[in-house]
Amino acid sequence: MKYISTRDNSPSPASLSAAEAIKRGLASDGGLFIPAEIPALTHGDMEKLLDMDYAERAAYILSLFLTDYDKAALAEDCAKAYAADRFPGGAAPLHPIADGIHSLELWHGPTCAFKDMALQIMPRLLSRALKMTGEEKTAYILVATSGDTGKAALEGYKDVDGVKMVVFYPDEGVSRMQKMQMTTQEGSNVYVAAVEGNFDDAQSGVKAIFSDAELAKKAEEAGFFFSSANSINWGRLVPQVVYYVSAYCDLLKNGTIRNGDEIVVCVPTGNFGNIFAAYIAREMGLPIGHMVCASNANNVLTDFIETGVYDKTREFHKTMSPSMDILISSNLERLLYKLCGADVTKDLMAALNKDGKYTVPAEIMEKLRAVFSGYYLTEEETADVIKSTFADHGYLVDPHTAVGLGCVHKYRAASGDNRPVVLASTASPYKFAADVCASLDIDTDGMEIEEILHTLAEKTDTEIPAPLLRTLTLPVRFTEVVKPCEMAAVPFRH
Ligand SMILES: *Cc1c(COP(=O)(O)O)cnc(C)c1O
């Protein structure tokens, strides 16, 4: 399996092994790596996957994409990454909410958000990639986070040999718990800095460092090279394909569907990574009939799917689902590449850089809309979903998952499509306890975060995840705040 850049429009695009693609993170032309072809998931594959546990399913799917990796090594890595000590509540259990809507709970890992699903395995994939490619320099991983990636990456990469990492988060753009999780991070090879600005500022800053040839040279002289842990890195995206396949297997096993029945997948979306992983699963042949792209008040994707115009030049809203407060959805580039090839993609990305917007030709949009619908929820609607889901079904959802669920309702009402839905539940409600409490009319005014967590647990008869309780006991290690223009200096100082 070879990997090519979404922006390489030469007659014979340069191709890399999976190990090289994972090591580099981003192509040197600024494009994202994508497999030259998508492996098929046959009927026979599904039969085999059915009786496997999550780690075995993961190793099986990963080996279809990472053909240069040793199969036994992948099995060993997956077994460790998805073990019960890391995911005490199961790696990706399905919880039926009501009316054929199934919550795919992706937040039972060490940092209580779905990012763990990829970031518990990705460091192992990178470590092997460094060995496989004979790399002797240190991989310096730069992460821009809207809140959850940062902590999950820190937790996955802490004290990993041959790797250093700095995480940049928007100073005022993350929840209190998210900030606390990052600033108290342990590990000798990691650093955390806040950035003045929003997530897009942080992400643009990181992308600028990646595409700066002079910085690359300076890094080489200092004995390291830059790499990424964001969903622009294929090593981050490919483990996310697994849980959609796994969810389908679980629905088959529990008799909800028969093999071949189509399901609908809904994903609360920011950078378009998680939903793109579902699209890859569909391309492999998983029977996903339709996909719902759910957004919050930052509804750039909803508008794009409706009009064909992607326009990031708009007001930025801070919402209670901060991990989706994103106006530049990087992974949309991979979808555009799949739909219209490198030539058009390159032009669209150049337009985005220059004008902050681009228009996708109508015939391409038709293809896109055959697969994707876009909906969004206001803050008020999000709070209503949290409240009614708990009142009607006794199920507590975080604000991101609530956005997804509300969009499922809107999609069903508009389309009449009542096929079973797999809803990606992306975070534990306890990461956003203050907003969840407010949505449930639980007063937390003046309370410290610890008290808020305990209040939520008491009022809803649910359990505080152990890793969050532990975070509360740790000292703050990182307090630096930098301007976007100062970001490039940080990896040379720490
Ligand atoms: C990162 C994140 C999202 C958005 O996922 P993308 O892959 O960026 O689209 C949604 N919800 C939560 C809780 C997240 O952490």
Side-chain angles (χ1 to χ4, degrees):
M1 175 78 56
K2 289 294 181 186
Y3 289 80
I4 50 183
S5 163
T6 50
R7 296 186 197 178
D8 189 346
N9 59 351
S10 57
S12 49
S15 67
L16 272 62
S17 67
E20 275 291 343
I22 289 171
K23 185 172 102 177
R24 294 197 201 177
L26 195 67
S28 49
D29 58 9
L32 309 185
F33 289 117
I34 187 137
E37 75 232 47
I38 306 292
L41 205 54
T42 62
H43 212 83
D45 288 321
M46 289 306 287
E47 300 268 293
K48 282 190 213 151
L49 287 164
L50 220 51
D51 289 322
M52 295 181 181
D53 65 18
Y54 190 86
E56 291 165 335
R57 287 173 184 170
Y60 193 95
I61 306 279
L62 289 182
S63 69
L64 298 177
F65 286 95
L66 312 180
T67 47
D68 49 334
Y69 281 67
D70 178 59
K71 274 191 185 175
L74 283 175
E76 188 189 320
D77 286 349
C78 288
K80 284 186 191 147
Y82 299 113
D85 63 328
R86 310 259 77 200
F87 290 85
L94 276 176
H95 178 103
I97 302 178
D99 310 320
I101 302 172
H102 303 262
S103 172
L104 177 60
E105 295 182 348
L106 302 171
W107 40 263
H108 292 286
T111 78
C112 307
F114 88 86
K115 306 297 198 289
D116 290 326
M117 298 300 298
L119 282 161
Q120 282 299 308
I121 183 78
M122 189 183 172
R124 301 171 198 273
L125 299 180
L126 178 67
S127 283
R128 293 207 188 264
L130 296 178
K131 285 203 192 88
M132 286 157 72
T133 58
E135 184 59 62
E136 283 171 0
K137 293 190 288 298
T138 300
Y140 206 124
I141 298 175
L142 305 174
V143 178
T145 182
S146 56
D148 291 326
T149 292
K151 177 62 184 180
L154 289 162
E155 203 51 42
Y157 280 102
K158 72 171 179 210
D159 298 324
V160 170
D161 283 343
V163 178
K164 287 182 77 177
M165 160 175 280
V166 57
V167 168
F168 296 103
Y169 70 92
D171 195 20
E172 297 301 328
V174 299
S175 82
R176 266 198 282 177
M177 177 52 90
Q178 287 176 318
K179 183 169 179 165
M180 206 179 238
Q181 282 184 301
M182 289 187 279
T183 55
T184 59
Q185 178 64 41
E186 298 157 302
S188 58
N189 61 337
V190 298
Y191 191 76
V192 177
V195 177
E196 290 176 14
N198 60 36
F199 170 70
D200 292 313
D201 297 315
Q203 176 160 263
S204 299
V206 163
K207 278 192 184 169
I209 300 174
F210 277 125
S211 50
D212 188 325
E214 235 165 78
L215 281 177
K217 204 165 147 244
K218 212 174 132 190
E220 196 171 337
E221 284 159 15
F224 59 86
F225 68 97
F226 293 121
S227 188
S228 67
N230 281 86
S231 54
I232 52 177
N233 191 317
W234 181 252
R236 198 12 232 291
L237 215 55
V238 66
Q240 298 180 204
V241 177
V242 175
Y243 45 74
Y244 294 106
V245 178
S246 180
Y248 193 90
C249 290
D250 288 345
L251 288 176
L252 272 179
K253 268 197 113 158
N254 71 20
T256 305
I257 54 172
R258 281 171 310 178
N259 207 351
D261 284 356
E262 288 188 343
I263 58 166
V264 170
V265 168
C266 174
V267 185
T269 294
N271 229 351
F272 210 78
N274 203 3
I275 195 167
F276 187 74
Y279 179 78
I280 293 285
R282 183 180 187 274
E283 289 282 285
M284 294 176 80
L286 193 73
I288 297 177
H290 201 73
M291 304 210 280
V292 179
C293 174
S295 301
N296 63 24
N298 295 293
N299 57 356
V300 57
L301 286 166
T302 320
D303 287 350
F304 167 66
I305 292 170
E306 193 183 319
T307 64
V309 180
Y310 191 96
D311 186 354
K312 68 156 182 151
T313 59
R314 59 176 66 213
E315 199 185 331
F316 179 87
H317 300 280
K318 270 179 60 174
T319 73
M320 63 170 128
S321 45
S323 302
M324 295 153 67
D325 290 348
I326 292 177
L327 294 180
I328 307 172
S329 299
S330 297
N331 276 292
L332 192 56
E333 177 168 349
R334 285 191 166 108
L335 179 65
L336 293 172
Y337 174 84
K338 294 297 289 178
L339 296 176
C340 45
D343 247 341
V344 178
T345 303
K346 198 175 175 188
D347 290 346
L348 295 177
M349 291 305 121
L352 183 66
N353 248 338
K354 188 164 154 284
D355 311 320
K357 59 180 161 189
Y358 58 78
T359 304
V360 171
E363 68 273 15
I364 306 281
M365 286 312 295
E366 233 165 84
K367 280 201 243 172
L368 191 148
R369 288 188 200 108
V371 184
F372 293 92
S373 292
Y375 291 90
Y376 78 97
L377 250 61
T378 63
E379 289 292 272
E380 217 184 333
E381 289 173 321
T382 308
D384 282 347
V385 171
I386 293 173
K387 188 173 176 178
S388 64
T389 305
F390 189 69
D392 299 345
H393 310 296
Y395 188 59
L396 194 62
V397 289
D398 94 290
H400 304 76
T401 306
V403 166
L405 185 53
C407 289
V408 169
H409 295 146
K410 288 190 181 190
Y411 167 70
R412 280 189 158 182
S415 67
D417 181 352
N418 275 322
R419 289 176 287 191
V421 172
V422 168
L423 165 67
S425 176
T426 50
S428 157
Y430 283 90
K431 281 195 99 162
F432 308 93
D435 285 313
V436 170
C437 282
S439 305
L440 297 173
D441 298 324
I442 301 168
D443 183 17
T444 60
D445 254 11
M447 282 187 197
E448 288 296 326
I449 189 158
E450 184 163 4
E451 198 181 351
I452 299 178
L453 296 190
H454 287 291
T455 304
L456 182 60
E458 224 168 80
K459 299 274 186 189
T460 60
D461 199 20
T462 53
E463 253 177 67
I464 309 172
L468 298 184
L469 277 177
R470 183 163 178 274
T471 293
L472 298 174
T473 66
L474 300 175
V476 170
R477 285 181 67 200
F478 304 105
T479 55
E480 187 179 4
V481 185
V482 299
K483 294 191 172 60
C485 63
E486 296 165 343
M487 288 170 61
V490 175
F492 294 96
R493 274 195 277 114
H494 297 282

